[in-house]
Each structure stands twice: as C-alpha cells, then as structure tokens.
Amino acid sequence: MVGGPEFLSVGSDARQIAVLRRTGRAPGLFWLSGYRSEMVGLKAEALDAFGAELGLAVTRFDYSGHGQSGGDFLDGTISRWLEEALAVFSTTKGPQIIVGSSIGGWIALLLARALRKSAPDRVKALILIAPAVDATAELMQKRLSTAEQHILKRDGVVYRASQYSDTPYPYTRALLEDGRNHLLFGRGIETGCPVTILQGAKDPDVPPEHAMKLVQHLLIDPTTLTLIPDGDHRLSRDSDLELLREAVKRQVGAPALQLRMEL
C-alpha cells in the first residue's frame, strides 16, 4: 500500500524531503528522479506499479526544490541531492535495486560508491536510464554559449529553454561548481553490483555516446547496455517502460550477468 508522503528532515538547514513508500519484500526498488523531475512522473509511477506486481517495497522521493519537498530549486546542488538520497536510503531495509533516470543515474552511481564504504551489501543492482553522468561538466557547461556563460558569471544563474517544460530551466553557478566535486569520468567506476543501462539512440540531451563512455569506465562490474533505436531521452513510452519492467524482473532474481551489449 502507498499512502500520502512522509517528510524527512535532512541537512543542517532541515530540508523537508517528501517520501512515498510502498510496503513489500526485498529487494526493494529505490527511485532517483532526473533534473526538474518528480517522484510522481511516468517512470516513477511505472516502477511503483512493477513493485506492486512483484510484491516489492518501493521508495521514491522528491529532491529539495522539487515536487512536494521543501526548499528552493535554485539552492540545489549534486551535494545536496546526494545527501538527501543517502538520508532516504538509510530509512530502507534490506538490499535495494537503485533505479536512476538522467541526473538520477549520476546520483545513483555516487550513492552506490558511498554505500560501498558503509553498507556494501545494501545495493543489489543499478538500473540507469539515460544516465547523465558528470552532467554539470559534460552536458550543461559545454552547451552554454558565450553570452550564456557571461550571464551565469554575472547573475549566478542562466535560464535555458527546454522541450520538457513551458518555462526555461535554470542552471546555477553553484550547481555547476559543486558538480566538479563529484565527477566520475577519468578513472574506473566500481559499483560492486550488476549495472543495467537503458539508452535511447535518439536522445538529444544525453547522447548514446555518453552511455558508451560510461560503459568504458565500468571496468569490473557486470554491465548490460540496451540501446533503443528510436528511443528519446524520456523513455516513457509503453515499450520503453516494458524494457524497464523486464530489467527490474531480471535483477530481482538473477545472478550477476557477464558484460554484454544489446544493440
């Protein structure tokens, strides 16, 4: 059963983080949304439905400045959102399958790295949907025009049009600068668990080459990359959600898989 959200106080500023839970068995499903996305989006709702179907516990939450959580979006950074992910994760029980979308995929990798030190048996698998690893440096900063970089330096925030919203998306200097503290590319990435990546070949925001770059950094963990030929960034069509469902089912009961690519 899923009731209304509970609220968890996180950080020295006591950010009120809204959490939705479905009771069920382990392994639980732990959802991490993308930038400007909420825990009641299509993929998050679909994941909750998969949990209900399989009798699994499901945990999802809104980052501060998102959805039902408190805080100002303009204060958001990878450090703050990772702190919130760790706090919410600490309230779960048993092994979890962490499912992250876009920037949530980056945060999922950071979360798994942190948990390897404190609770290495808590992460059963990672499922990453169009993972925007190192997004602040690789996918945001590099796309700013000279004029936008000037605005960012002057105002501390620049607004860019988005096909996913009627209002422009803000990118703050604090977000981009803080992201430098969490960059993963440039060295091997170890998660200690199987990794599944679902990537759209027609994703304009996180291109397929970015997912391939991630695979090249996953040197030890068994990794499956599924490239969806007509897939976009959202991967929220029924056919996309069915791929997510099958990925969840495989990881619920499957042993570690050997490295392979499905193209």
Side-chain angles (χ1 to χ4, degrees):
M1 294 290 292
V2 177
E6 61 184 76
F7 289 87
L8 185 66
S9 181
V10 178
S12 59
D13 54 351
R15 303 187 297 281
Q16 296 301 297
I17 303 304
V19 183
L20 286 175
R21 299 186 194 277
R22 174 177 295 281
T23 57
R25 63 179 177 88
L29 305 178
F30 189 84
W31 171 256
L32 291 166
S33 300
Y35 191 73
R36 300 279 287 182
S37 296
E38 301 178 7
M39 62 178 172
V40 292
L42 283 173
K43 292 188 290 292
E45 289 285 315
L47 190 73
D48 183 67
F50 303 156
E53 173 190 347
L54 299 172
L56 304 176
V58 182
T59 305
R60 43 192 169 133
F61 71 98
D62 283 328
Y63 306 121
S64 56
H66 292 71
Q68 300 176 65
S69 288
D72 187 335
F73 181 83
L74 295 181
D75 292 331
T77 62
I78 300 302
S79 290
R80 285 166 70 91
W81 296 334
L82 175 59
E83 181 183 33
E84 292 154 12
L86 282 163
V88 176
F89 191 92
S90 71
T91 68
T92 66
K93 297 180 180 180
Q96 302 287 310
I97 297 172
I98 301 175
V99 185
S101 177
S102 195
I103 270 189
W106 181 14
I107 294 174
L109 289 164
L110 295 171
L111 177 61
R113 183 175 68 177
L115 291 169
R116 284 193 70 199
K117 300 176 182 178
S118 61
D121 59 339
R122 292 293 315 282
V123 181
K124 179 175 175 60
L126 295 179
I127 299 176
L128 310 178
I129 305 166
V133 180
D134 294 0
T136 51
E138 297 278 334
L139 303 171
M140 294 180 181
Q141 186 84 52
K142 288 182 178 180
R143 293 176 179 174
L144 295 179
S145 67
T146 300
E148 288 172 327
Q149 291 178 25
H150 175 73
I151 293 170
L152 181 67
K153 183 177 181 180
R154 183 191 67 199
D155 301 339
V157 60
V158 63
Y159 292 85
R160 304 195 78 211
S162 171
Q163 62 178 308
Y164 309 114
S165 173
D166 295 333
T167 58
Y169 276 16
Y171 297 95
T172 67
R173 184 169 57 229
L175 172 68
L176 299 182
E177 290 180 351
D178 174 79
R180 298 171 191 160
N181 299 319
H182 301 285
L183 299 179
L184 293 173
F185 287 158
R187 66 186 70 83
I189 300 172
E190 296 182 30
T191 69
C193 67
V195 180
T196 298
I197 302 170
L198 303 178
Q199 174 68 45
K202 295 184 177 180
D203 185 340
D205 301 300
V206 182
E209 296 79 13
H210 200 74
M212 295 295 293
K213 185 174 183 179
L214 173 58
V215 171
Q216 293 167 359
H217 283 75
L218 292 165
L219 304 177
I220 296 176
D221 305 311
T223 302
T224 302
L225 168 64
T226 299
L227 187 63
I228 303 161
D230 59 347
D232 60 8
H233 182 60
R234 285 187 166 179
L235 294 181
S236 294
R237 302 168 301 177
D238 288 346
S239 57
D240 302 323
L241 297 177
E242 181 59 26
L243 288 173
L244 175 58
R245 176 178 176 273
E246 290 303 313
V248 169
K249 288 180 65 177
R250 285 196 301 270
Q251 294 305 328
V252 166
L257 302 175
Q258 293 184 347
L259 174 64
R260 62 190 180 94
M261 296 185 187
E262 297 174 356
L263 301 177

